[in-house]
Amino acid sequence: MAKDNRALLGPLFARIEASHDLSEEEKALLAEAAGDTRSFGARQDIVVQGSRPKVSSLLVEGLSGRYVDLRDGTRRISGLHVSGDFVDLHSMLLKPMDHGILAMSDCTVLQFPHENLLRVTNAHPQLTRLLWFLTLVDAAVHRQWLVARGGLDSLGEAAHLLCELYLRHRAAALTRGETFTLPMTQQDFGNALGKSAVQTNRVIQTLRKLGFISWKGQQIAILDWDSLAELGEFDPTYLQLKRGTE
Amino acid sequence: MAKDNRALLGPLFARIEASHDLSEEEKALLAEAAGDTRSFGARQDIVVQGSRPKVSSLLVEGLSGRYVDLRDGTRRISGLHVSGDFVDLHSMLLKPMDHGILAMSDCTVLQFPHENLLRVTNAHPQLTRLLWFLTLVDAAVHRQWLVARGGLDSLGEAAHLLCELYLRHRAAALTRGETFTLPMTQQDFGNALGKSAVQTNRVIQTLRKLGFISWKGQQIAILDWDSLAELGEFDPTYLQLKRGTE
DNA sequence: CGACATATTGATCGACTTCAAGTGTAGTGG
DNA sequence: CCACTACACTTGAAGTCGATCAATATGTCG
């Protein structure tokens, strides 16, 4: 079992090693803590709001997002995950879930029973701090979104999110040159920014006309990183990618 | 030293015990990990953006906030802390600081050297998870702000933040009945909501006219909790106050 | 091909921003 | 005790950005 898991852990290890050294022993411990994989179709719930998970899920394939449903029936997206991200590592210590996790595209996750994770935290302080670190980066991303939203205009917000998503994909070794695959609609992208579909589309068109990005279907290319980062006032510090930010 | 610290740790212990059992031994360990206290005048930096703190600061007295300065010279507030909150516990594992911590009012903090905290995490898994938990609640608050901003109208956002601040004050035993002291200007309050001072003032007036709150100087009273919570679609789950939410 | 989702464009409307001025209110010094 | 100052709060008016409504492309998949 641990053997099969190792292949699935590639993006996670890549992400971790973008900022930390990770020994073979630690990799083995993480692989041993893993349980089963599960698949979800697009638009399915990976974790249900209000539930009390007994496992934490590592996204192995696909794109997922945190969401909360509001009284008016709309759904607000408050976070996004790429391969190699734990979608609910916090659920080990925080229950019940105050939000749901939605598969934005078809997704595969690797589940880590809390039982196993707790065992790790009992015996391995260094690995514990590493897991803690991952949740802290998550929080840093939330903070950055808060600053961007309200502090920048639509164009800046979109630019900021695109810069972030590009770097996160790259840290998990999911980019091909300046191109990456983002399996979500413009509407969902806009939802994450708190914008309407129409406004989102206009912003994307503007970024295209400026020659900063190309966005065809699910393929996004960063054509002018410097200008995009400038527009979004993007400072990658918060992603904690000591390596791989280059 | 530890003796003096015990008195300063009251709000922290109150907050923790709103959700966890905390043994005398654990309290002693926390008290021993504490170092010196420091005072800051209103508008001073408690932690400087970009710095690499060697201590984490527990807010003992006053109100502080996370902020990031934008290119246009404005300052965005992305989080608030009340007595009993660690303002930068994450700085133990996350460096450099991707934001600054500002004293919104005169503040006193108790500094915990990272050296001491790391020692705790090496030897006490349960206490480690407790500290981790505190950072996770912080993240949950960020998420909730993200949902409220963009998902609710001005009135709802303000109502949500007021509900949250009231409960957080109460968890730290800082309320008198339905009244608490919020030592910040309407302008800063609005900044935390991403709103202009003018709009903020209009919203507050509306909440007053509706009879939901009273806000005189720094004294805020919740006059109609149910209506306020309804307006802000406020669900206290995310604050993880199993007790004291009543 | 037909059906359905996604993307694009135009026109109108409303919320919030900005600018500007006026009203407390607490603190200071004569 | 009153004038003076500083800062926060309050109110009005005009302008702007993004939401909403309403069509019309453009895919894409059975």
Side-chain angles (χ1 to χ4, degrees):
Chain A
M1 164 174 85
K3 199 96 176 249
D4 301 297
N5 289 339
R6 284 303 282 264
L8 302 175
L9 291 171
L12 174 64
F13 291 164
R15 167 61 191 88
I16 292 175
E17 291 183 322
S19 61
H20 289 75
D21 291 319
L22 194 60
S23 71
E24 274 308 313
E25 187 201 346
E26 288 167 330
K27 289 185 185 179
L29 283 165
L30 283 172
E32 280 162 24
D36 301 328
T37 61
R38 288 195 59 190
S39 292
F40 298 88
R43 297 287 137 189
Q44 275 192 303
D45 263 2
I46 296 176
V47 186
V48 176
Q49 178 169 6
S51 68
R52 297 173 164 274
K54 292 184 165 50
V55 299
S56 282
S57 298
L58 173 72
L59 187 60
V60 168
E61 176 70 41
L63 188 77
S64 69
R66 306 184 193 286
Y67 74 90
V68 172
D69 287 323
L70 295 175
R71 194 162 40 208
D72 66 6
T74 62
R75 174 167 282 193
R76 314 261 47 243
I77 295 172
S78 60
L80 294 172
H81 314 106
V82 307
S83 303
D85 288 339
F86 274 101
V87 303
D88 64 342
L89 188 47
H90 59 280
S91 72
M92 181 175 65
L93 299 176
L94 233 53
K95 295 174 186 175
M97 286 288 292
D98 55 38
H99 60 282
I101 308 282
L102 176 74
M104 314 291 297
S105 68
D106 290 348
C107 285
T108 304
V109 304
L110 178 59
Q111 297 185 326
F112 289 71
H114 289 162
E115 202 184 321
N116 297 358
L117 290 175
L118 286 171
R119 207 174 317 128
V120 167
T121 63
N122 278 330
H124 300 278
Q126 177 59 26
L127 212 42
T128 304
R129 285 189 292 259
L130 188 58
L131 294 173
W132 187 354
F133 168 86
L134 292 175
T135 65
L136 290 176
V137 173
D138 224 52
V141 171
H142 291 324
R143 277 194 290 275
Q144 212 56 227
W145 284 33
L146 275 169
V147 170
R149 187 175 301 180
L152 307 176
D153 56 17
S154 308
L155 212 54
E157 287 182 68
H160 191 282
L161 183 52
L162 285 167
C163 286
E164 176 185 312
L165 288 173
Y166 174 69
L167 283 192
R168 286 173 66 185
H169 277 81
R170 201 167 67 164
L174 299 168
T175 50
R176 300 168 304 287
E178 59 287 328
T179 302
F180 64 103
T181 302
L182 191 71
M184 76 193 299
T185 62
Q186 289 184 6
Q187 178 151 8
D188 286 333
F189 184 85
N191 190 333
L193 295 172
K195 300 281 173 278
S196 70
V198 172
Q199 178 67 4
T200 303
N201 180 259
R202 290 191 168 122
V203 167
I204 291 171
Q205 308 235 17
T206 303
L207 290 176
R208 280 203 275 243
K209 273 171 205 142
L210 287 168
F212 294 176
I213 64 162
S214 137
W215 181 326
K216 284 178 198 148
Q218 305 187 334
Q219 300 307 308
I220 297 181
I222 309 296
L223 303 180
D224 184 346
W225 172 266
D226 291 346
S227 299
L228 199 64
E230 158 97 7
L231 189 60
E233 300 196 26
F234 185 77
D235 174 352
T237 304
Y238 72 101
L239 291 175
Q240 301 281 325
L241 302 170
K242 288 165 200 156
R243 314 162 198 169
T245 307
E246 156 247 354
Chain B
M1 164 174 87
K3 200 96 177 253
D4 301 296
N5 289 339
R6 285 303 284 263
L8 302 175
L9 290 171
L12 174 64
F13 290 163
R15 166 62 190 88
I16 292 175
E17 291 182 322
S19 62
H20 289 75
D21 291 318
L22 193 61
S23 70
E24 274 307 314
E25 187 201 346
E26 289 167 329
K27 289 186 186 178
L29 283 166
L30 284 173
E32 280 161 25
D36 301 329
T37 61
R38 287 194 59 190
S39 291
F40 297 87
R43 296 287 137 191
Q44 274 192 302
D45 264 2
I46 296 176
V47 185
V48 177
Q49 179 170 4
S51 67
R52 297 173 165 273
K54 291 186 167 49
V55 300
S56 282
S57 297
L58 174 73
L59 187 60
V60 169
E61 177 72 40
L63 189 77
S64 69
R66 306 185 194 286
Y67 75 90
V68 172
D69 287 325
L70 295 175
R71 196 160 40 208
D72 66 6
T74 61
R75 176 167 281 191
R76 316 259 49 244
I77 295 173
S78 60
L80 294 172
H81 314 107
V82 307
S83 304
D85 287 339
F86 274 101
V87 302
D88 64 342
L89 188 46
H90 59 280
S91 71
M92 182 175 65
L93 298 178
L94 234 52
K95 294 171 187 178
M97 287 289 291
D98 56 39
H99 60 281
I101 307 282
L102 176 74
M104 313 291 296
S105 67
D106 290 347
C107 284
T108 305
V109 304
L110 177 59
Q111 298 185 326
F112 289 70
H114 288 163
E115 201 187 320
N116 297 358
L117 291 175
L118 286 171
R119 205 173 320 127
V120 167
T121 62
N122 278 329
H124 300 278
Q126 177 60 26
L127 212 42
T128 304
R129 285 190 292 259
L130 188 58
L131 294 173
W132 187 355
F133 167 86
L134 292 175
T135 66
L136 290 176
V137 173
D138 224 54
V141 171
H142 291 324
R143 276 195 291 275
Q144 211 56 227
W145 283 33
L146 274 170
V147 170
R149 186 176 301 180
L152 307 176
D153 57 15
S154 308
L155 214 54
E157 288 182 68
H160 191 282
L161 183 53
L162 285 168
C163 287
E164 175 185 312
L165 287 173
Y166 174 70
L167 282 193
R168 286 173 66 185
H169 277 83
R170 200 168 68 167
L174 299 168
T175 50
R176 299 168 304 287
E178 60 287 328
T179 302
F180 65 103
T181 302
L182 192 71
M184 75 194 300
T185 62
Q186 289 185 4
Q187 178 151 13
D188 286 333
F189 184 83
N191 190 333
L193 295 173
K195 300 278 175 280
S196 70
V198 171
Q199 178 67 3
T200 303
N201 180 258
R202 290 189 167 124
V203 167
I204 290 171
Q205 307 235 16
T206 303
L207 290 176
R208 279 201 276 243
K209 272 171 207 142
L210 287 168
F212 294 176
I213 64 162
S214 136
W215 181 326
K216 286 178 197 151
Q218 305 186 333
Q219 299 306 311
I220 297 181
I222 308 297
L223 302 180
D224 184 346
W225 172 265
D226 291 345
S227 299
L228 200 63
E230 158 98 7
L231 189 60
E233 300 195 27
F234 186 77
D235 174 352
T237 303
Y238 72 101
L239 292 175
Q240 301 281 323
L241 302 169
K242 289 165 199 154
R243 313 162 199 171
T245 308
E246 155 249 353

